[in-house]
Amino acid sequence: MTKDIGWNVDTSYARLPQSFYSKQDPTPVKAPKLIRLNKTVAEDLGLDQNSLQSEEGIAILAGNTVPDGATSLAQAYAGHQFGHFNMLGDGRAVLISEHKTPKGERVDVQLKGSGRTRYSRGGDGRAALGPMLREYIISEAMHALGIPTTRSLAVVTTGEDIIRETDLPGAILTRIASSHIRVGTFQYAAQFTEVEELRALADYTIKRHYPEVENEEKPYFSLLQEVINRQAALIAKWQMVGFIHGVMNTDNMTISGETIDYGPCAFMNTYDPEAVFSSIDRQGRYAYGNQPYIGGWNLARFAESLIPLLHEDQDQAVEIAQSAISEYSSIYHEHWLSGMRSKLGLFNEEEGDKALAEELLSIMHKQKADFTNTFQSLTRGTDLPNSPEFQQWKERWEERQSRQSESKEASHELMRKSNPVVIPRNHRVEEALEAAVEGDLSVMERLLDVLADPYNDSDKKAKYCELPPDSSVPYKTYCGT
Ligand code: AMP
Ligand code: MG
């Protein structure tokens, strides 16, 4: 049966020291029903769609059976949640298996919402349909936007209600990730295991994600540098599309550089560096404009956890860690500036580019301009908000564009590829989720269809570019639901 689906199982994570996981099967559910299968992802993984949609396939996606030969486990990790260190771990997820794709890539297949584990603390180990579809929609949108992310293979309902403020339909998301190793996994190793176990984790991570540094003289230092670079690049990409992760705790930051854990995330409409949507982020720790700083803070926690591996002398190890971390800010800004140049259709580099980009953002902030639509207007050459400041800025920008050898057409094409027409606007996501939870999947299907091709304009996209009707109640997203 498993053979028909095409699972190619091998859980290398289970060969790490025992302290990193506990064997755990998903808890069976009453009446699994497939709500959504991601055919593109299934195909990329080399999985057979028809078999996945069969009763046996759905039983695996619901956790009622595990693929033949799979070692299902819950991972141990720790993490700083809103700045406070906690022991965590997969409390409502299990890694049912790793899978090797036809291209030879190894990915994690994780069920989220699959029941209690030894890391569940007070939680029920379950997830509700709305939030699982939300992760599905946003992760797939992020992928289509060209941003590294975990993917969503399927969502099933369990036929069981879960108890939150009200009873909600229970659901399970099958998440595909290049791995689930987090900054928090290293924090766990540094805090709760022996140095040899930390080393085993670092070696495993290098082999899996950064094999190019394996034979370097200082592989652990190189690992640190590589992770800093990938995370700096990732966060700059978020900033380019107005994505607010919402809960950038260290356990929600991957070592692979993929975006993970779409809880209270949202896309910004009006440009505002202080934009925050999460109901639990009262201090604005994870506000849009603070994400790059928090990225650095989290990476400093990663660097700290590597200290025992960086040098046998602790003072020197600290210095080495600091030297890598001190590079983060400039690496991030390079990624940011390069992204902004593309958004503005600039190929070459001039000293004034940073100021030009920042000035645009500052005008947008003052004018409460929509982030995505403003860059669309610039791309299309249509009307900008009618203000003298915008017009003056536009003249400077056009002058700047004329100082490059590339043609206007090439510049336009660069902008077209760098500025999405559609993003998953919060009101459209909510509308799709509300309908889906009521049993009507068509609104979500249409939304997913549009989000799968965000950089090309078409008539059907027009309504997805509109802003939400004015509301006096600010949009809020909820965590852990
Ligand atoms: P998150 O906010 O989704 O990143 O989750 C933070 C931690 O809480 C992780 O260790 C989760 O596994 C755990 N957790 C979240 N929801 C539940 C739940 N319903 N039951 C058990 N553990 C949970
Ligand atoms: Mg998490």
Side-chain angles (χ1 to χ4, degrees):
M1 205 299 304
T2 303
K3 230 172 64 231
D4 295 342
I5 297 178
W7 294 118
N8 191 355
V9 304
D10 169 38
T11 307
S12 62
Y13 207 80
R15 297 194 281 277
L16 275 173
Q18 175 65 65
S19 48
F20 287 110
Y21 62 91
S22 55
K23 287 196 180 162
Q24 174 74 57
D25 280 340
T27 309
V29 298
K30 210 155 78 187
K33 185 172 157 223
L34 183 64
I35 298 296
R36 171 89 193 172
L37 176 70
N38 193 331
K39 294 181 178 158
T40 321
V41 169
E43 196 172 314
D44 287 353
L45 295 174
L47 301 178
D48 182 72
Q49 281 176 36
N50 292 332
S51 306
L52 269 173
Q53 293 177 73
S54 71
E55 204 175 309
E56 292 93 336
I58 295 170
I60 291 180
L61 299 173
N64 284 5
T65 53
V66 292
D68 294 341
T71 310
S72 180
L73 55 86
Q75 294 179 330
Y77 54 85
H80 276 92
Q81 298 181 300
F82 292 88
H84 301 284
F85 186 74
N86 286 312
M87 174 61 204
L88 301 164
D90 287 334
R92 57 160 168 177
V94 293
L95 174 69
I96 53 166
S97 179
E98 290 153 24
H99 166 74
K100 275 205 248 147
T101 71
K103 283 194 206 137
E105 288 157 2
R106 180 184 293 274
V107 295
D108 277 7
V109 183
Q110 193 202 56
L111 298 187
K112 183 168 173 179
S114 56
R116 285 179 54 77
T117 74
R118 68 178 281 201
Y119 311 110
S120 296
R121 298 172 291 166
D124 61 0
R126 291 296 183 192
L129 178 59
M132 293 305 99
L133 287 176
R134 193 162 198 282
E135 169 153 349
Y136 185 108
I137 295 169
I138 306 212
S139 62
E140 288 309 298
M142 291 287 272
H143 174 75
L145 286 163
I147 300 175
T149 176
T150 61
R151 302 289 304 270
S152 298
L153 175 64
V155 174
V156 296
T157 44
T158 58
E160 296 170 11
D161 275 353
I162 65 164
I163 305 159
R164 295 294 181 261
E165 272 166 25
T166 53
D167 285 3
L168 299 170
I172 296 174
L173 170 80
T174 306
R175 177 156 79 179
I176 307 296
S178 73
S179 88
H180 285 84
I181 307 169
R182 307 143 191 268
V183 166
T185 317
F186 278 84
Q187 290 182 290
Y188 165 79
Q191 185 76 25
F192 300 112
T193 75
E194 300 297 321
V195 88
E196 283 322 306
E197 293 166 270
L198 172 66
R199 190 184 305 279
L201 176 67
D203 290 342
Y204 175 84
T205 304
I206 288 173
K207 265 205 164 62
R208 189 155 173 188
H209 295 297
Y210 301 95
E212 65 279 8
V213 310
E214 194 174 0
N215 295 316
E216 280 190 16
E217 207 181 315
K218 297 175 185 156
Y220 306 119
F221 180 64
S222 300
L223 169 66
L224 175 57
Q225 286 180 311
E226 293 293 333
V227 175
I228 288 171
N229 194 26
R230 282 217 202 154
Q231 279 294 338
L234 177 68
I235 296 169
K237 283 191 178 215
W238 292 355
Q239 302 303 93
M240 292 304 122
V241 296
F243 173 74
I244 304 172
H245 183 283
V247 59
M248 283 177 76
N249 295 335
T250 54
D251 52 299
N252 291 337
M253 187 184 246
T254 60
I255 298 300
S256 66
E258 286 178 346
T259 313
I260 196 173
D261 258 8
Y262 295 89
C265 61
F267 280 73
M268 178 167 72
N269 293 315
T270 306
Y271 175 72
D272 178 5
E274 289 177 18
V276 80
F277 295 106
S278 167
S279 60
I280 54 171
D281 191 2
R282 293 196 186 86
Q283 317 283 325
R285 179 180 171 91
Y286 300 140
Y288 172 78
N290 221 25
Q291 296 189 129
Y293 164 78
I294 290 293
W297 192 90
N298 288 352
L299 289 163
R301 306 288 81 75
F302 178 51
E304 277 167 10
S305 66
L306 287 178
I307 280 174
L309 306 180
L310 293 175
H311 200 283
E312 53 205 31
D313 177 84
Q314 183 163 350
D315 290 346
Q316 288 197 47
V318 170
E319 240 173 70
I320 292 168
Q322 274 167 353
S323 74
I325 287 298
S326 67
E327 297 290 317
Y328 166 78
S329 176
S330 59
I331 296 171
Y332 166 75
H333 280 105
E334 273 309 308
H335 286 295
W336 180 86
L337 187 52
S338 147
M340 286 305 285
R341 282 198 180 99
S342 300
K343 285 177 87 66
L344 294 174
L346 304 176
F347 290 91
N348 64 339
E349 297 178 10
E350 276 189 18
E351 205 151 299
D353 293 347
K354 181 167 179 266
L356 187 73
E358 282 174 348
E359 201 174 309
L360 171 64
L361 294 176
S362 144
I363 300 169
M364 282 164 63
H365 189 199
K366 264 193 251 160
Q367 308 266 329
K368 299 190 166 46
D370 181 76
F371 185 75
T372 304
N373 290 354
T374 302
F375 282 101
Q376 263 310 302
S377 301
L378 292 175
T379 307
R380 295 176 193 187
T382 48
D383 284 351
L384 285 169
N386 193 10
S387 90
E389 256 186 314
F390 248 128
Q391 290 314 319
Q392 276 165 18
W393 178 87
K394 193 173 167 220
E395 279 167 30
R396 276 181 52 208
W397 170 57
E398 283 166 348
E399 243 176 72
R400 167 65 184 88
Q401 279 200 328
S402 67
R403 289 196 299 275
Q404 59 185 4
S405 52
E406 285 78 4
S407 66
K408 269 202 144 124
E409 290 70 36
S411 179
H412 176 257
E413 192 51 20
L414 177 61
M415 291 183 73
R416 217 185 52 73
K417 285 184 181 152
S418 313
N419 294 304
V421 178
V422 281
I423 49 159
R425 290 192 189 265
N426 309 316
H427 63 296
R428 292 289 175 211
V429 174
E430 290 309 319
E431 164 190 89
L433 294 180
E434 262 171 46
V437 171
E438 293 299 319
D440 171 10
L441 298 174
S442 64
V443 186
M444 183 180 74
E445 302 292 341
R446 284 197 294 275
L447 177 64
L448 286 169
D449 179 47
V450 160
L451 293 174
D453 180 31
Y455 293 103
N456 290 311
D457 204 358
S458 69
D459 289 347
K460 66 181 175 190
K461 290 193 177 126
K463 80 172 204 184
Y464 297 92
C465 304
E466 289 164 11
L467 303 189
D470 242 4
S471 162
S472 54
V473 187
Y475 182 69
K476 283 256 178 270
T477 53
Y478 295 88
C479 196
T481 40

